[in-house]
Amino acid sequence: MPYDWYTPTADDQRRSSLDPEPFDYNIEMGSLFYRQSDGTVTELPKQMGQAAYNPDTGEVYKVHGGNYVPTPHTKVMNDINDVLKDVGFNLDNLEVNNVVGHNSQGVKGSRIRRDIIFHNEIIKPSVNDTMAFKISVLGSYDGSWAHQIVFSAQRLECLNGMVSDRALYRSYMKHTQTINMKPSVERITQALEYFKEDEARFASWSKPAGPNLRWDAKVNSFIKSFSASPKPDDQAAINNDTFDNLLNRYDNQHYTMPHSPWRMYNALTDWSTHFEMKRKNSPDYNERLKREQKVSSALRSSEWNSLVAA
């Protein structure tokens, strides 16, 4: 899992345990002080800012505004574990990936991510494809992103992160409120139901639809729409790099998949999961999030509906 904002260690490994211990990085809030020219030190009021820091090391995660409310990573993970038990998930056959990230100053624990893949909750949209239900939990002390629960799926054959067009599949919680994961029980239950319902929908996408001139034209039209970049005058221009990239990913799957919406869907999720950043040392998570949102939007477009109906 190549994130630029973390350095892999022995602790960042695939597990089957939901123990929150890998994310045990404490956080406290401290006042900011101003030193005047005569040496006098004055404590600034909270509304002007406060420092989020690790009391065990003295390292500062980030200086936040006065409304920031700290929530320890371990509390978030314990809440999630309670929710999973309340929902009644079978927790015997899990794949748990833990990532502990750092901020731009290298302070570890600033960002965290846990991916939980449920190998007992699977669907088979086609003969050679198996997908497992996945829940991702994200949090940060440095304000990189809000606390998030992402409901998705993992295609086990190629490790593509599968993107849904359903808005319910992502839940955000701001840092300006106390985090309570308990309301997520209903969302997780609904997300799992949607995941299982998607088996029939994905299976319908897997039916061969080409090659023929009509299908090729619809593929070209969809990729062109997906690659369009709006200009200030509302005239869309085609991003040729995106167009060529997606078309190549679609073509490269001809050994394993017939021409079909499913093949295009896998090209889209391959595009949103596997990519290189233009700037070598820049974080990739925000880019991944943007790509997943773009794919999700594309799955609700008229061009996609036309492709599925072909």
Side-chain angles (χ1 to χ4, degrees):
M1 193 177 302
Y3 297 106
D4 290 332
W5 41 265
Y6 90 106
T7 302
T9 70
D11 294 329
D12 300 332
Q13 59 184 328
R14 183 167 295 174
R15 304 162 179 252
S16 60
S17 170
L18 293 174
D19 190 337
E21 183 272 333
F23 307 109
D24 190 13
Y25 291 84
N26 291 327
I27 182 172
E28 291 185 5
M29 306 306 295
S31 299
L32 301 180
F33 295 85
Y34 171 68
R35 185 183 297 276
Q36 302 183 49
S37 57
D38 62 358
T40 303
V41 176
T42 303
E43 182 177 356
L44 298 178
K46 179 181 176 181
Q47 59 266 30
M48 293 186 68
Q50 50 182 337
Y53 70 99
N54 185 332
D56 300 320
T57 65
E59 296 175 302
V60 176
Y61 298 116
K62 181 71 180 292
V63 174
H64 292 286
N67 293 327
Y68 183 88
V69 178
T71 303
H73 298 322
T74 50
K75 179 186 183 306
V76 172
M77 294 304 169
N78 278 322
D79 285 352
I80 287 292
N81 292 349
D82 290 342
V83 170
L84 295 179
K85 293 174 184 176
D86 291 343
V87 172
F89 270 113
N90 185 332
L91 305 179
D92 293 334
N93 190 13
L94 299 179
E95 177 183 326
V96 182
N97 295 306
N98 299 321
V99 174
V100 176
H102 53 73
N103 62 12
S104 57
Q105 284 74 46
V107 180
K108 197 169 183 182
S110 298
R111 317 173 193 183
I112 57 100
R113 174 173 181 142
R114 166 170 280 179
D115 292 322
I116 309 170
I117 302 172
F118 297 81
H119 285 271
N120 286 328
E121 302 290 350
I122 62 172
I123 59 176
K124 294 183 72 66
S126 65
V127 174
N128 297 317
D129 267 310
T130 303
M131 296 167 63
F133 186 62
K134 180 171 77 171
I135 298 177
S136 300
V137 185
L138 298 92
S140 71
Y141 289 159
D142 64 354
S144 304
W145 51 72
H147 292 285
Q148 299 177 50
I149 306 175
V150 184
F151 313 111
S152 59
Q154 187 79 26
R155 185 172 176 233
L156 301 183
E157 279 71 19
C158 66
L159 301 184
N160 279 4
M162 309 310 278
V163 181
S164 174
D165 54 342
R166 303 181 192 269
L168 186 69
Y169 267 47
R170 187 178 294 272
S171 179
Y172 295 89
M173 284 142 284
K174 296 181 179 179
H175 291 285
T176 54
Q177 62 189 32
T178 300
I179 303 302
N180 180 4
M181 295 302 206
K182 297 302 182 182
S184 297
V185 171
E186 182 178 349
R187 282 182 174 269
I188 292 178
T189 303
Q190 187 68 68
L192 181 59
E193 290 178 2
Y194 281 165
F195 168 72
K196 292 181 177 179
E197 290 173 3
D198 278 340
E199 182 171 27
R201 184 167 65 140
F202 289 152
S204 70
W205 292 357
S206 301
K207 296 177 181 178
N212 55 57
L213 292 177
R214 183 169 177 268
W215 173 256
D216 291 346
K218 286 186 175 293
V219 167
N220 187 75
S221 176
F222 173 77
I223 296 179
K224 186 177 292 185
S225 171
F226 185 83
S227 307
S229 301
K231 287 187 172 182
D233 58 2
D234 292 330
Q235 295 296 315
I238 302 302
N239 184 319
N240 291 323
D241 289 341
T242 301
F243 184 95
D244 293 341
N245 190 318
L246 187 57
L247 183 60
N248 287 336
R249 291 175 191 261
Y250 178 81
D251 288 341
N252 288 340
Q253 299 186 67
H254 70 278
Y255 290 110
T256 57
M257 298 181 192
H259 291 275
S260 64
W262 179 245
R263 177 168 158 179
M264 177 57 72
Y265 176 69
N266 278 275
L268 289 168
T269 55
D270 186 47
W271 176 85
S272 65
T273 304
H274 307 292
F275 56 88
E276 293 184 2
M277 297 295 293
K278 291 181 179 180
R279 298 179 61 183
K280 184 176 180 181
N281 294 322
S282 58
D284 77 342
Y285 179 76
N286 288 333
E287 176 65 20
R288 176 174 295 201
L289 181 59
K290 285 167 52 179
R291 289 183 177 227
E292 289 177 349
Q293 290 172 337
K294 183 175 178 65
V295 170
S296 180
S297 177
L299 296 177
R300 298 190 297 271
S301 68
S302 59
E303 288 80 10
W304 176 258
N305 291 334
S306 177
L307 192 72
V308 170

